[in-house]
Amino acid sequence: MYSALKLFILLVGFTALFYLSGVATLRDERRPTLSLGLAAGLLTAIICAMLTTNINAALLAQTSIAMFGIYRLYTSRQGNRTNPALQPNPSSWPQMTVFMVLIFIFSCILISDPIADWDARSIWFYHAKVIYYTKDIWAHGQWAEQANIYTHLNYPKLFPLLAAQVANAFGFWNEYIPKLAIALLACPILAFFVESALKTQRNHRAIPVNFLLLFMMLFMFDGAGFYLTSGYMDGWVALYSICASMMLTTAIQQHNSDDGRNSRIQALVFLAILSQIKQEGLIIAVILLAVAIAVTLGTLAQPMQSIKRISSGTTPKTLRSAAWYSLFLLGPVVAWLIASHIQGLSLSHYSGNTLERITTKLTTSGQPTWILANVIFHNGMIFPSLALALVLTVNAAATRKRLMTADFLPLIASLVFLVVIFLVYLATNADVNWHMAKSAGRVGLTPGLLIVCYNYHCIINILFADRSIKPQSSISQA
């Protein structure tokens, strides 16, 4: 009973700490959504750990920042009361209640089994154990001496940091308690899906369909039961990817509104977390951002004039805000890349003459086709989702439902990422058949779910959205 109570208190405490510190660090958001605040709080946690070089001092520093978050929430509420022009914020208690129930149930499922699977034990929780015993995310500058290089020491340390801090809060390390860090990593995702599912829409018939589609995206993907609870990070890379793509889509479609600005900030925070989970996360974050920029320029009638207008309207305040967000979002990524280079944490599977290996595999009869087939078919979600995407796109054209250019963002990003995966297997210096058998299904989760995300946009648009106008922002239909 005491352990269960301690578990609940720790879960609530960490969740509140992340949200409040996230509120404090978001420069333009005095009262962010629960998912945005929690996501920003995760970034604040790793920044504090990097700056203080001690996980206990990092929690104290984050607590101090959270105090300022309480102040910002208080002044935001007072401003809403005194300024009649501001609309009162809708009650967040329904979302908060559903979120806390889901996260508590998920936490109980997590700690019902010990850490057992190979990558979880030898990579993520091993790194967490090093941080737990050294009390330092940098491991006193001796990562390479404390572990074998084949544990992928160059991987980012956000999740190992969370696991080490959870174990430290309990006062001991075992095979159960550190898994609670998975729940902390899941907090922004669960909050985001709860907010999306319960969001009031003009057409109330869309709410149950929206809820069902979001639920399927969250829990029904290939291997979800394993990849969400085992300690592997691939499932969380995939889920953060679709959350970021959904926010980027909204930001592009509503770029001139407050919702568009808020979505843009939330998308950038999710992309920053992606880069802190796993190296594949950094790759897909760059792809999503590049595709979003390309799509945005494609939706502008006169892109150069729009860019000049934005540049001419830049003020010192917006420059300060941009500088702060650049430091907040990119600082941890750059810091860890520099530390990995200094400590010599090399990429074990891609050392040597990469171009020569790619050329050799491309010129070997049947090997490129074999690799491509594994990339597309090894994960059971990719090919059916691609087939459904084709059907939905044709259906949208046949029924004269306009798909806006931004709706294609997750589909384009998924196809680009599939090309990157293909090149990675061409470049590996490991046995390619072994490498694909061990990882193709896991890596395929991200492009598979991005295609599912595109299908989600299509279904919602076909069934409920009115896209009869705004031809400059849409894909022309035959």
Side-chain angles (χ1 to χ4, degrees):
M1 181 64 184
Y2 172 74
S3 298
L5 181 61
K6 189 174 181 179
L7 168 67
F8 180 75
I9 293 174
L10 185 141
L11 184 64
V12 173
F14 267 105
T15 303
L17 179 66
F18 289 152
Y19 179 74
L20 293 173
S21 59
V23 170
T25 51
L26 290 169
R27 184 180 179 90
D28 296 331
E29 294 287 327
R30 288 192 175 274
R31 197 175 183 86
T33 61
L34 181 61
S35 58
L36 176 56
L38 289 170
L42 290 179
L43 290 179
T44 307
I46 197 165
I47 290 173
C48 289
M50 286 180 168
L51 292 176
T52 61
T53 71
N54 183 279
I55 60 175
N56 292 318
L59 282 178
L60 291 176
Q62 195 170 5
T63 302
S64 301
I65 295 172
M67 297 297 180
F68 181 64
I70 295 175
Y71 169 76
R72 291 195 69 182
L73 288 177
Y74 174 76
T75 55
S76 173
R77 178 171 294 183
Q78 291 297 110
N80 287 342
R81 288 177 177 175
T82 57
N83 190 344
L86 295 175
Q87 294 294 327
N89 290 304
S91 174
S92 60
W93 282 110
Q95 295 178 0
M96 184 73 72
T97 302
V98 175
F99 165 74
M100 289 305 299
V101 170
L102 288 177
I103 201 66
F104 183 73
I105 294 173
F106 184 58
S107 301
C108 293
I109 294 172
L110 284 172
I111 62 172
S112 63
D113 291 314
I115 305 166
D117 297 286
W118 176 257
D119 275 18
R121 292 183 65 87
S122 64
I123 300 177
W124 311 108
F125 287 103
Y126 182 80
H127 296 176
K129 204 169 186 178
V130 172
I131 295 173
Y132 171 75
Y133 282 107
T134 61
K135 307 301 181 193
D136 184 5
I137 194 172
W138 307 111
H140 304 317
Q142 298 182 13
W143 269 110
E145 285 75 20
Q146 295 198 23
N148 188 284
I149 195 163
Y150 287 100
T151 63
H152 296 285
L153 294 173
N154 58 311
Y155 278 4
K157 296 294 183 282
L158 173 59
F159 177 76
L161 169 68
L162 297 176
Q165 287 183 324
V166 167
N168 201 54
F170 267 85
F172 57 87
W173 179 279
N174 65 13
E175 303 301 304
Y176 293 88
I177 294 302
K179 289 186 73 178
L180 192 62
I182 301 174
L184 299 181
L185 189 63
C187 279
I189 297 293
L190 286 175
F192 177 84
F193 278 98
V194 169
E195 290 162 1
S196 300
L198 298 181
K199 189 181 296 182
T200 302
Q201 302 187 24
R202 196 177 301 174
N203 189 338
H204 292 286
R205 292 181 303 162
I207 294 178
V209 176
N210 191 46
F211 181 84
L212 177 62
L213 292 172
L214 290 168
F215 180 85
M216 291 178 66
M217 265 200 287
L218 185 58
F219 293 113
M220 302 301 288
F221 62 87
D222 185 37
F226 175 77
Y227 289 117
L228 295 185
T229 59
S230 63
Y232 281 66
M233 291 295 103
D234 305 273
W236 299 109
V237 169
L239 289 176
Y240 272 102
S241 297
I242 63 173
C243 290
S245 71
M246 291 172 75
M247 286 292 95
L248 286 171
T249 300
T250 303
I252 295 170
Q253 291 174 345
Q254 305 178 22
H255 59 92
N256 288 326
S257 67
D258 288 339
D259 284 343
R261 181 182 61 83
N262 296 340
S263 298
R264 185 162 54 248
I265 293 173
Q266 186 153 355
L268 291 174
V269 173
F270 280 147
L271 291 176
I273 291 181
L274 260 177
S275 66
Q276 290 298 312
I277 298 176
K278 198 179 179 184
Q279 284 192 328
E280 286 91 331
L282 178 58
I283 295 171
I284 191 61
V286 172
I287 290 173
L288 283 168
L289 192 58
V291 172
I293 293 172
V295 169
T296 301
L297 293 176
T299 59
L300 298 175
Q302 297 176 316
M304 292 307 300
Q305 290 188 10
S306 299
I307 293 172
K308 289 179 181 178
R309 186 169 61 253
I310 293 172
S311 301
S312 62
T314 302
T315 64
K317 181 179 178 181
T318 57
L319 287 175
R320 287 194 301 269
S321 180
W324 166 249
Y325 277 115
S326 298
L327 182 63
F328 179 65
L329 299 174
L330 296 178
V333 182
V334 175
W336 183 252
L337 290 176
I338 293 173
S340 297
H341 177 72
I342 291 174
Q343 296 187 39
L345 310 180
S346 63
L347 297 171
S348 59
H349 286 314
Y350 312 103
S351 57
N353 195 329
T354 303
L355 183 59
E356 182 180 336
R357 285 197 299 272
I358 292 176
T359 304
T360 301
K361 290 189 177 75
L362 284 175
T363 55
T364 301
S365 177
Q367 191 148 56
T369 305
W370 171 251
I371 294 174
L372 183 61
N374 272 273
V375 168
I376 296 176
F377 292 102
H378 199 106
N379 183 284
M381 184 170 50
I382 294 178
F383 184 74
S385 299
L386 277 173
L388 180 60
L390 178 60
V391 171
L392 291 173
T393 305
V394 171
N395 181 270
T399 57
R400 299 184 179 276
K401 295 284 186 176
R402 293 187 180 273
L403 292 176
M404 298 178 72
T405 309
D407 292 329
F408 287 84
L409 186 151
L411 180 62
I412 298 171
S414 68
L415 296 177
V416 174
F417 192 47
L418 284 173
V419 173
V420 171
I421 295 171
F422 175 71
L423 293 175
V424 165
Y425 286 124
L426 289 175
T428 181
N429 61 12
D431 178 75
V432 68
N433 293 327
W434 171 86
H435 200 177
M436 287 190 298
K438 292 295 183 182
S439 62
R442 294 186 285 113
V443 175
L445 291 173
T446 297
L449 270 185
L450 284 172
I451 300 168
V452 171
C453 186
Y454 167 75
N455 292 338
Y456 163 80
H457 287 306
C458 287
I459 292 172
I460 292 296
N461 290 337
I462 290 171
L463 294 180
F464 302 108
D466 181 10
R467 294 285 174 82
S468 57
I469 56 175
K470 302 180 182 178
Q472 73 276 11
S473 300
S474 59
I475 298 293
S476 298
Q477 307 294 333

mmCIF file of all heavy atoms in Angstrom, residues 130-146:
data_model
loop_
_atom_site.group_PDB
_atom_site.id
_atom_site.type_symbol
_atom_site.label_atom_id
_atom_site.label_comp_id
_atom_site.label_asym_id
_atom_site.label_seq_id
_atom_site.Cartn_x
_atom_site.Cartn_y
_atom_site.Cartn_z
ATOM 1 N N VAL A 130 23.950 3.882 -15.584
ATOM 2 C CA VAL A 130 25.200 4.648 -15.493
ATOM 3 C C VAL A 130 24.929 6.041 -14.928
ATOM 4 O O VAL A 130 25.646 6.523 -14.035
ATOM 5 C CB VAL A 130 25.872 4.736 -16.875
ATOM 6 C CG1 VAL A 130 27.062 5.690 -16.839
ATOM 7 C CG2 VAL A 130 26.323 3.354 -17.347
ATOM 8 N N ILE A 131 23.882 6.702 -15.433
ATOM 9 C CA ILE A 131 23.537 8.032 -14.933
ATOM 10 C C ILE A 131 23.117 7.964 -13.466
ATOM 11 O O ILE A 131 23.471 8.830 -12.655
ATOM 12 C CB ILE A 131 22.419 8.655 -15.795
ATOM 13 C CG1 ILE A 131 22.918 8.895 -17.225
ATOM 14 C CG2 ILE A 131 21.937 9.966 -15.192
ATOM 15 C CD1 ILE A 131 21.844 9.356 -18.187
ATOM 16 N N TYR A 132 22.380 6.931 -13.104
ATOM 17 C CA TYR A 132 21.913 6.781 -11.716
ATOM 18 C C TYR A 132 23.092 6.676 -10.748
ATOM 19 O O TYR A 132 23.082 7.308 -9.690
ATOM 20 C CB TYR A 132 21.022 5.542 -11.604
ATOM 21 C CG TYR A 132 20.666 5.176 -10.179
ATOM 22 C CD1 TYR A 132 19.733 5.902 -9.471
ATOM 23 C CD2 TYR A 132 21.287 4.100 -9.556
ATOM 24 C CE1 TYR A 132 19.399 5.568 -8.167
ATOM 25 C CE2 TYR A 132 20.969 3.748 -8.252
ATOM 26 C CZ TYR A 132 20.030 4.486 -7.563
ATOM 27 O OH TYR A 132 19.720 4.157 -6.266
ATOM 28 N N TYR A 133 24.096 5.889 -11.104
ATOM 29 C CA TYR A 133 25.210 5.678 -10.180
ATOM 30 C C TYR A 133 26.246 6.801 -10.231
ATOM 31 O O TYR A 133 26.914 7.064 -9.226
ATOM 32 C CB TYR A 133 25.873 4.329 -10.451
ATOM 33 C CG TYR A 133 25.083 3.177 -9.870
ATOM 34 C CD1 TYR A 133 24.368 2.312 -10.691
ATOM 35 C CD2 TYR A 133 25.017 2.983 -8.493
ATOM 36 C CE1 TYR A 133 23.613 1.270 -10.165
ATOM 37 C CE2 TYR A 133 24.267 1.942 -7.952
ATOM 38 C CZ TYR A 133 23.568 1.094 -8.797
ATOM 39 O OH TYR A 133 22.821 0.069 -8.263
ATOM 40 N N THR A 134 26.383 7.461 -11.371
ATOM 41 C CA THR A 134 27.307 8.594 -11.431
ATOM 42 C C THR A 134 26.630 9.906 -11.050
ATOM 43 O O THR A 134 27.323 10.909 -10.789
ATOM 44 C CB THR A 134 27.894 8.752 -12.844
ATOM 45 O OG1 THR A 134 26.826 9.010 -13.773
ATOM 46 C CG2 THR A 134 28.661 7.505 -13.258
ATOM 47 N N LYS A 135 25.294 9.925 -11.050
ATOM 48 C CA LYS A 135 24.494 11.138 -10.784
ATOM 49 C C LYS A 135 24.770 12.236 -11.802
ATOM 50 O O LYS A 135 24.541 13.422 -11.526
ATOM 51 C CB LYS A 135 24.752 11.686 -9.369
ATOM 52 C CG LYS A 135 24.587 10.698 -8.250
ATOM 53 C CD LYS A 135 23.204 10.112 -8.188
ATOM 54 C CE LYS A 135 23.066 9.121 -7.018
ATOM 55 N NZ LYS A 135 21.842 8.317 -7.103
ATOM 56 N N ASP A 136 25.237 11.868 -12.981
ATOM 57 C CA ASP A 136 25.674 12.858 -13.957
ATOM 58 C C ASP A 136 25.298 12.387 -15.355
ATOM 59 O O ASP A 136 25.658 11.274 -15.753
ATOM 60 C CB ASP A 136 27.193 13.035 -13.849
ATOM 61 C CG ASP A 136 27.728 14.117 -14.771
ATOM 62 O OD1 ASP A 136 26.916 14.802 -15.429
ATOM 63 O OD2 ASP A 136 28.961 14.273 -14.835
ATOM 64 N N ILE A 137 24.578 13.241 -16.110
ATOM 65 C CA ILE A 137 24.190 12.865 -17.465
ATOM 66 C C ILE A 137 25.402 12.731 -18.370
ATOM 67 O O ILE A 137 25.380 12.020 -19.370
ATOM 68 C CB ILE A 137 23.184 13.896 -18.040
ATOM 69 C CG1 ILE A 137 22.505 13.337 -19.297
ATOM 70 C CG2 ILE A 137 23.874 15.214 -18.344
ATOM 71 C CD1 ILE A 137 21.383 14.202 -19.813
ATOM 72 N N TRP A 138 26.497 13.417 -18.021
ATOM 73 C CA TRP A 138 27.739 13.310 -18.792
ATOM 74 C C TRP A 138 28.598 12.133 -18.322
ATOM 75 O O TRP A 138 29.646 11.874 -18.917
ATOM 76 C CB TRP A 138 28.550 14.600 -18.688
ATOM 77 C CG TRP A 138 27.775 15.837 -19.041
ATOM 78 C CD1 TRP A 138 27.386 16.825 -18.182
ATOM 79 C CD2 TRP A 138 27.294 16.236 -20.323
ATOM 80 N NE1 TRP A 138 26.699 17.804 -18.840
ATOM 81 C CE2 TRP A 138 26.621 17.471 -20.174
ATOM 82 C CE3 TRP A 138 27.366 15.666 -21.594
ATOM 83 C CZ2 TRP A 138 26.038 18.142 -21.230
ATOM 84 C CZ3 TRP A 138 26.771 16.342 -22.654
ATOM 85 C CH2 TRP A 138 26.117 17.559 -22.472
ATOM 86 N N ALA A 139 28.189 11.447 -17.266
ATOM 87 C CA ALA A 139 28.953 10.333 -16.689
ATOM 88 C C ALA A 139 30.388 10.752 -16.389
ATOM 89 O O ALA A 139 31.341 9.977 -16.576
ATOM 90 C CB ALA A 139 28.931 9.110 -17.605
ATOM 91 N N HIS A 140 30.561 11.992 -15.896
ATOM 92 C CA HIS A 140 31.880 12.540 -15.566
ATOM 93 C C HIS A 140 32.827 12.500 -16.760
ATOM 94 O O HIS A 140 34.048 12.367 -16.607
ATOM 95 C CB HIS A 140 32.505 11.798 -14.383
ATOM 96 C CG HIS A 140 31.650 11.787 -13.160
ATOM 97 N ND1 HIS A 140 30.962 12.898 -12.719
ATOM 98 C CD2 HIS A 140 31.356 10.787 -12.277
ATOM 99 C CE1 HIS A 140 30.284 12.594 -11.613
ATOM 100 N NE2 HIS A 140 30.499 11.327 -11.339
ATOM 101 N N GLY A 141 32.286 12.591 -17.980
ATOM 102 C CA GLY A 141 33.112 12.618 -19.165
ATOM 103 C C GLY A 141 33.730 11.290 -19.544
ATOM 104 O O GLY A 141 34.685 11.251 -20.322
ATOM 105 N N GLN A 142 33.194 10.196 -19.023
ATOM 106 C CA GLN A 142 33.819 8.898 -19.243
ATOM 107 C C GLN A 142 32.821 7.859 -19.762
ATOM 108 O O GLN A 142 32.884 6.687 -19.403
ATOM 109 C CB GLN A 142 34.465 8.394 -17.951
ATOM 110 C CG GLN A 142 35.567 9.306 -17.452
ATOM 111 C CD GLN A 142 36.233 8.764 -16.201
ATOM 112 O OE1 GLN A 142 36.045 7.617 -15.838
ATOM 113 N NE2 GLN A 142 37.012 9.611 -15.553
ATOM 114 N N TRP A 143 31.919 8.277 -20.649
ATOM 115 C CA TRP A 143 30.950 7.332 -21.177
ATOM 116 C C TRP A 143 31.622 6.170 -21.904
ATOM 117 O O TRP A 143 31.255 5.018 -21.744
ATOM 118 C CB TRP A 143 29.997 8.037 -22.146
ATOM 119 C CG TRP A 143 28.762 8.575 -21.505
ATOM 120 C CD1 TRP A 143 28.443 9.877 -21.298
ATOM 121 C CD2 TRP A 143 27.675 7.819 -20.972
ATOM 122 N NE1 TRP A 143 27.229 9.984 -20.668
ATOM 123 C CE2 TRP A 143 26.725 8.731 -20.459
ATOM 124 C CE3 TRP A 143 27.405 6.459 -20.868
ATOM 125 C CZ2 TRP A 143 25.545 8.333 -19.869
ATOM 126 C CZ3 TRP A 143 26.215 6.060 -20.281
ATOM 127 C CH2 TRP A 143 25.304 6.992 -19.793
ATOM 128 N N ALA A 144 32.627 6.481 -22.711
ATOM 129 C CA ALA A 144 33.252 5.434 -23.520
ATOM 130 C C ALA A 144 33.980 4.404 -22.681
ATOM 131 O O ALA A 144 34.117 3.248 -23.077
ATOM 132 C CB ALA A 144 34.218 6.056 -24.524
ATOM 133 N N GLU A 145 34.465 4.810 -21.486
ATOM 134 C CA GLU A 145 35.169 3.864 -20.634
ATOM 135 C C GLU A 145 34.230 3.022 -19.787
ATOM 136 O O GLU A 145 34.629 1.990 -19.264
ATOM 137 C CB GLU A 145 36.150 4.605 -19.716
ATOM 138 C CG GLU A 145 37.410 5.105 -20.399
ATOM 139 C CD GLU A 145 37.168 6.332 -21.264
ATOM 140 O OE1 GLU A 145 36.151 7.012 -21.043
ATOM 141 O OE2 GLU A 145 37.989 6.586 -22.153
ATOM 142 N N GLN A 146 32.993 3.457 -19.646
ATOM 143 C CA GLN A 146 32.086 2.780 -18.717
ATOM 144 C C GLN A 146 31.161 1.793 -19.400
ATOM 145 O O GLN A 146 30.395 1.109 -18.740
ATOM 146 C CB GLN A 146 31.251 3.821 -17.960
ATOM 147 C CG GLN A 146 32.103 4.692 -17.059
ATOM 148 C CD GLN A 146 31.257 5.388 -16.016
ATOM 149 O OE1 GLN A 146 30.187 4.929 -15.702
ATOM 150 N NE2 GLN A 146 31.757 6.486 -15.480
#
